Amino acid sequence: MAGAAAERKVIRVLLVEDEEIHRVLARALLRSAVGGVELDEAGTGAEAVRRVRDGGAGAYDLIITDGKMPVMDGHEIRAMGVTTPIVGLSSDTLPPDVDTFIKAGADDFTPKPLSKEKLVRILAKFNLA
Amino acid sequence: MDYTNLRRQIISMKKSLFDQGYLDEQFNQLEELQDDSSPNFVDEVVALFFKDSSRLLTNIEQALEKYPQDFYRLDSLVYQFKGSGSSIGALRMKNECSMFKAHCNDRNLEGYRTLDDSSSIPASHSLLEQLHLIPWLTQMPPVTPEDEEGACHSEAEAGDIFSCKHKHQIKGPVST
């Protein structure tokens, strides 16, 4: 996955978040803090799965997802057969909340709100920086 | 119009919000994201917060009245409220939400402050309405060292600007 991203030279991130304020913040962070990143957005876990399936193999290099959302939570994305690295993003940050994401198949977790530092760390962790 | 005093009061108000723990570093991050390509970014995010929070506060109050034992519903609403508040750095409100959620998890709101308490979620939210004044700072003449030195650090003055806003029904910056 990281190799494909390097050849493409553009990193594609899918943000799964139903609240506009978080999407606005993510757009601004990606615009100003990190270059070469394209951001797609989905408002529910179901829409995220649809975008991944429609985009084909390697459609996204990373999925950053909220937990609780209408229709389908972010926790359920992995169970739908998505193999893209997933990072949970939530304002519920107690150990059981983080465990819920990890046990559901997320590769990492970061508490809301997203920040420049968190984004850089996440991208570096998955060799996308 | 003399913007100096107005600028001082807004700066003082902002500092007071930080000093009293109503705002944290996240708000500074919003200001850093504001640039020529997004000159109204802070205002937009703050406006989004208040749009969400007004709706959520109403829903929380209605849920407490009509479904006081539906802790899942209450938890979901407060989850959204907490997340939205964290985006603008509303630290104290975020902490209040965490406490409320803990009571929801225990399925027992007894012992939690009532929504009328001065330290409750609505009270913290109400104080944050002063944030609407901060974008004015970018539309005034630049700050001078004298402005910075003259900024008052008292809570009373920070409160005065809020009262003034409502008393005079100020709609926006007034050009000279």
Side-chain angles (χ1 to χ4, degrees), chain B:
Chain B
M1 179 173 182
D2 180 9
Y3 285 111
T4 303
N5 195 43
L6 184 59
R7 174 184 290 282
R8 281 181 185 165
Q9 289 191 309
I10 294 175
I11 292 172
S12 172
M13 173 273 292
K14 181 182 164 186
K15 185 180 185 304
S16 178
L17 288 173
F18 275 95
D19 289 347
Q20 294 182 74
Y22 285 98
L23 286 181
D24 65 18
E25 165 63 23
Q26 176 65 18
F27 190 82
N28 291 333
Q29 295 237 352
L30 293 187
E31 294 184 310
E32 288 172 13
L33 287 171
Q34 183 160 297
D35 55 22
D36 291 341
S37 62
S38 289
N40 301 311
F41 181 72
V42 175
D43 202 20
E44 287 171 10
V45 176
V46 169
L48 271 172
F49 165 71
F50 280 108
K51 178 184 164 192
D52 287 345
S53 61
S54 299
R55 169 182 56 84
L56 288 167
L57 265 180
T58 300
N59 289 347
I60 290 169
E61 287 168 1
Q62 287 176 350
L64 282 170
E65 184 180 329
K66 294 180 186 174
Y67 315 106
Q69 300 299 314
D70 190 343
F71 295 105
Y72 179 80
R73 182 194 299 260
L74 285 168
D75 183 83
S76 293
L77 290 170
V78 177
Y79 170 83
Q80 293 176 58
F81 201 98
K82 180 182 175 185
S84 188
S86 73
S87 293
I88 66 162
L91 176 62
R92 188 178 282 200
M93 205 187 72
K94 185 174 71 172
N95 292 339
E96 283 291 325
C97 288
S98 293
M99 283 195 281
F100 191 96
K101 282 171 65 58
H103 281 270
C104 287
N105 286 340
D106 291 339
R107 304 184 66 78
N108 184 1
L109 292 181
E110 286 181 25
Y112 180 72
R113 303 179 186 90
T114 69
L115 290 185
D116 293 329
D117 188 284
S118 62
S119 302
S120 67
I121 295 170
S124 298
H125 175 263
S126 179
L127 232 110
L128 290 172
E129 288 186 11
Q130 298 171 81
L131 291 176
H132 287 301
L133 297 171
I134 291 180
W136 288 27
L137 288 172
T138 62
Q139 301 187 42
M140 294 185 196
V143 178
T144 65
E146 289 75 23
D147 287 334
E148 294 282 8
E149 287 175 12
C152 174
H153 302 287
S154 75
E155 181 182 358
E157 286 211 22
D160 280 350
I161 188 66
F162 188 60
S163 299
C164 179
K165 171 179 177 280
H166 282 276
K167 181 179 176 182
H168 297 287
Q169 295 295 307
I170 298 171
K171 303 290 184 194
V174 178
S175 58
T176 51

Side-chain angles (χ1 to χ4, degrees), chain A residues 15-66:
Chain A
L15 175 69
V16 193
E17 170 60 64
D18 61 322
E19 295 177 50
E20 176 66 14
I21 194 171
H22 298 297
R23 294 200 297 267
V24 166
L25 182 58
R27 282 177 219 144
L29 283 166
L30 282 163
R31 185 187 73 241
S32 90
V34 183
V37 177
E38 283 183 5
L39 179 69
D40 274 356
E41 298 169 15
T44 69
E47 185 185 348
V49 171
R50 192 164 49 248
R51 282 181 174 269
V52 170
R53 288 177 178 169
D54 289 350
Y60 297 102
D61 300 295
L62 181 68
I63 296 173
I64 299 176
T65 180
D66 187 13

Side-chain angles (χ1 to χ4, degrees), chain A residues 4-110:
Chain A
E7 287 174 6
R8 216 168 40 232
K9 295 182 182 174
V10 171
I11 300 162
R12 293 198 69 198
V13 175
L14 177 63
L15 175 69
V16 193
E17 170 60 64
D18 61 322
E19 295 177 50
E20 176 66 14
I21 194 171
H22 298 297
R23 294 200 297 267
V24 166
L25 182 58
R27 282 177 219 144
L29 283 166
L30 282 163
R31 185 187 73 241
S32 90
V34 183
V37 177
E38 283 183 5
L39 179 69
D40 274 356
E41 298 169 15
T44 69
E47 185 185 348
V49 171
R50 192 164 49 248
R51 282 181 174 269
V52 170
R53 288 177 178 169
D54 289 350
Y60 297 102
D61 300 295
L62 181 68
I63 296 173
I64 299 176
T65 180
D66 187 13
K68 296 177 186 173
M69 285 180 290
V71 181
M72 183 190 292
D73 288 347
H75 307 105
E76 301 174 66
I77 294 174
R78 181 70 81 211
M80 299 300 290
V82 171
T83 58
T84 309
I86 294 174
V87 174
L89 175 71
S90 175
S91 55
D92 283 340
T93 58
L94 295 175
D97 303 314
V98 179
D99 275 346
T100 298
F101 259 112
I102 302 302
K103 285 178 181 170
D107 299 280
D108 201 347
F109 175 88
T110 192

